[in-house]
Amino acid sequence: IYGEKANISFESGEIKVEGNVRFVAPDMSMFGHHLTYNYKTQYLNIDNARINGPNYSVLGKSISRVDKDLIVAENAEYSTCLDCPESWSVFGKKVHITVGEYVRIWHAYIKVKGVVVMYVPYIVFPIKRNRETGLLFPSFGLSLNDGVKFKQPFYWAISDYQDATISPLVL
């Protein structure tokens, strides 16, 4: 834990750090303005925060590490594009990250190049290293000849060395 000013209570186990705060852990780094950490419960909260994980980043008003495997963010933006955050991101009112498993986002606004292109009430992204069978992101289209198009790809992880993607299209 790094910062400009810190207070600690040995009775409650609470540490408060202010100014250019940084929390470094083996699986991520968190940055922000104000940090509250309880070394007895392992609860961590950072205001105006940013997380840099191994394959994702989150920028939010408030980010809490509730326990070792659960991170909760409010009014936060999630992206796996580490060196190009304006390429794409998903903003959500509430973001839950289960480390090494999934990112769950409520009231999600999908952004491309900083512009909102779609609203989804709830969306889940895998952040696993292992492949898993499931639905991929759908695509929509509109043309004068065909009308409205909807494609919903399905990914099937048959084995460790085989997979298939089926993409039905509805016109």
Side-chain angles (χ1 to χ4, degrees):
I1 298 176
Y2 301 89
E4 295 174 3
K5 180 182 173 185
N7 293 317
I8 185 167
S9 168
F10 293 107
E11 187 175 307
S12 67
E14 189 169 272
I15 301 169
K16 291 185 179 185
V17 183
E18 294 182 19
N20 296 319
V21 172
R22 184 169 39 153
F23 175 83
V24 179
D27 57 342
M28 73 171 139
S29 296
M30 295 175 75
F31 307 89
H33 175 68
H34 177 83
L35 174 144
T36 303
Y37 177 68
N38 189 303
Y39 63 84
K40 291 181 179 179
T41 64
Q42 303 296 305
Y43 178 82
L44 169 73
N45 177 269
I46 299 181
D47 294 328
N48 297 323
R50 179 180 185 86
I51 294 177
N52 289 335
N55 54 1
Y56 65 91
S57 68
V58 179
L59 180 65
K61 181 178 177 184
S62 174
I63 301 177
S64 301
R65 187 170 185 165
V66 178
D67 62 38
K68 183 181 177 225
D69 296 325
L70 179 62
I71 297 166
V72 177
E74 295 177 20
N75 296 322
E77 202 162 333
Y78 167 86
S79 180
T80 57
C81 196
L82 301 178
D83 57 349
C84 53
E86 282 299 313
S87 178
W88 77 271
S89 64
V90 181
F91 174 84
K93 296 280 185 187
K94 185 167 62 168
V95 178
H96 283 196
I97 301 170
T98 306
V99 178
E101 294 289 325
Y102 294 99
V103 175
R104 291 170 173 80
I105 303 174
W106 286 264
H107 301 288
Y109 294 91
I110 298 167
K111 297 166 75 175
V112 177
K113 302 272 187 200
V115 177
V116 174
V117 295
M118 183 187 301
Y119 169 79
V120 181
Y122 177 73
I123 192 166
V124 178
F125 289 101
I127 53 173
K128 298 178 171 188
R129 295 220 182 263
N130 298 335
R131 300 175 313 141
E132 188 172 290
T133 297
L135 297 173
L136 300 175
F137 203 76
S139 62
F140 304 92
L142 181 64
S143 74
L144 294 175
N145 295 334
D146 298 327
V148 176
K149 298 180 191 178
F150 173 74
K151 185 175 5 177
Q152 177 60 70
F154 175 78
Y155 177 78
W156 180 22
I158 300 166
S159 72
D160 287 343
Y161 304 102
Q162 295 177 323
D163 60 49
T165 302
I166 301 164
S167 300
L169 177 67
V170 178
L171 298 175

